[in-house]
């Protein structure tokens, strides 16, 4: 046994959150497509893919340390939204819940002296900070320009811009690595 049983349990609980995030964001992408918000839809599809990567990182870690990753049942995600501001607030709330869960795993790992898991979670601490900041910024921007019909075009473009920047940053990181 490389990691304590208590840590394995909270890691498996967390797997469920990452799996739900995959489908929560896919449901948002679907809503955006129906609303004609193409930039937002692309952004949320990418966000869903990213969550799948997170899910697999946890899945692989649990199995790599010789424990058993349990694939969770997926909850039916919310599929209807009042407007794009509600979508972003929903996204931020989801990310805050994921951050809380990651901090909880770190707390349990610290109590159990599990340095391997603490080390593994460093990436996620940074990732969660970035994701929360990203949604907070988008919400601030929507508050600034409004989310009426005239503003929607600009909000949609803004999402596309953020996605393109993320793709560029990822390419840079890959080249550097
Ligand atoms: Fe993987 Fe955005 O939490």
């Amino acid at each position: 046994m490389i990691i304590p049983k208590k840590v394995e349990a909270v890691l498996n609980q967390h797997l469920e959150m990452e799996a739900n995030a995959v489908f929560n964001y896919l449901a948002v992408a679907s809503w955006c497509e129906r609303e004609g918000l193409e930039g937002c839809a692309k952004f949320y599809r990418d966000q869903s893919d990213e969550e799948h990567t997170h899910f697999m990182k946890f899945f692989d870690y649990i199995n790599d340390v010789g424990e058993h990753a349990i694939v969770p049942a997926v909850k039916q995600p919310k599929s209807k939204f009042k407007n794009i501001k509600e979508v972003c607030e929903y996204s931020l709330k989801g990310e805050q819940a994921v951050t809380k869960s990651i901090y909880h795993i770190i707390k349990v790992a610290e109590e159990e002296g599990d340095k391997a898991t603490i080390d593994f979670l460093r990436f996620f601490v940074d990732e969660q900070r970035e994701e929360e900041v990203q949604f907070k910024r988008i919400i601030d921007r929507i508050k600034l320009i409004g989310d009426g019909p005239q503003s929607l075009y600009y909000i949609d473009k803004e999402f596309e811009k953020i996605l393109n920047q993320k793709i560029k940053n990822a390419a840079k990181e890959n080249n550097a690595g």
Side-chain angles (χ1 to χ4, degrees):
M1 186 185 73
I2 299 172
I3 63 168
K5 278 283 166 206
K6 272 190 188 167
V7 177
E8 183 204 0
V10 284
L11 283 168
N12 263 314
Q13 276 166 21
H14 186 80
L15 257 189
E16 191 177 335
M17 299 199 81
E18 298 290 348
N20 285 326
V22 174
F23 291 100
N24 289 349
Y25 285 144
L26 201 56
V28 169
S30 180
W31 179 85
C32 292
E33 274 171 27
R34 299 285 303 156
E35 294 291 310
L37 297 166
E38 284 174 28
C40 295
K42 272 193 236 166
F43 171 90
Y44 275 103
R45 270 176 185 261
D46 180 79
Q47 198 69 34
S48 172
D49 289 345
E50 214 173 281
E51 296 302 345
H52 183 249
T53 309
H54 294 173
F55 175 85
M56 290 310 300
K57 276 184 194 277
F58 277 96
F59 180 94
D60 288 339
Y61 178 72
I62 297 169
N63 280 346
D64 284 350
V65 292
E67 301 299 342
H68 187 181
I70 305 295
V71 175
V74 181
K75 283 194 202 113
Q76 168 91 55
K78 180 175 166 66
S79 59
K80 287 189 180 129
F81 300 89
K82 281 200 293 267
N83 49 42
I84 195 68
K85 188 162 160 268
E86 191 196 357
V87 164
C88 295
E89 284 164 349
Y90 166 77
S91 309
L92 177 60
K93 217 169 138 201
E95 292 303 340
Q96 286 168 334
V98 171
T99 304
K100 205 170 155 199
S101 169
I102 286 170
Y103 288 2
H104 178 63
I105 308 172
I106 294 173
K107 188 170 166 267
V108 175
E110 279 170 351
E111 285 164 3
E112 296 290 313
D114 177 4
K115 297 206 185 321
T117 299
I118 295 167
D119 200 42
F120 163 71
L121 290 170
R122 258 180 256 282
F123 163 87
F124 288 97
V125 169
D126 290 343
E127 188 74 7
Q128 285 310 119
R129 189 198 61 243
E130 281 171 23
E131 294 201 332
E132 284 194 33
V133 166
Q134 162 186 275
F135 284 117
K136 275 186 185 143
R137 278 199 186 133
I138 298 172
I139 292 167
D140 285 347
R141 203 142 308 170
I142 292 174
K143 280 183 188 157
L144 203 67
I145 61 179
D147 59 352
Q150 278 92 359
S151 311
L152 274 181
Y153 174 80
Y154 296 101
I155 293 171
D156 197 43
K157 289 279 161 226
E158 195 63 32
F159 270 98
E160 201 156 9
K161 231 163 62 185
I162 297 167
L163 173 60
N164 290 338
Q165 192 56 50
K166 274 172 90 174
I167 294 170
K168 255 191 222 165
N169 291 348
K172 238 190 248 170
E173 271 171 34
N174 282 345
N175 288 339

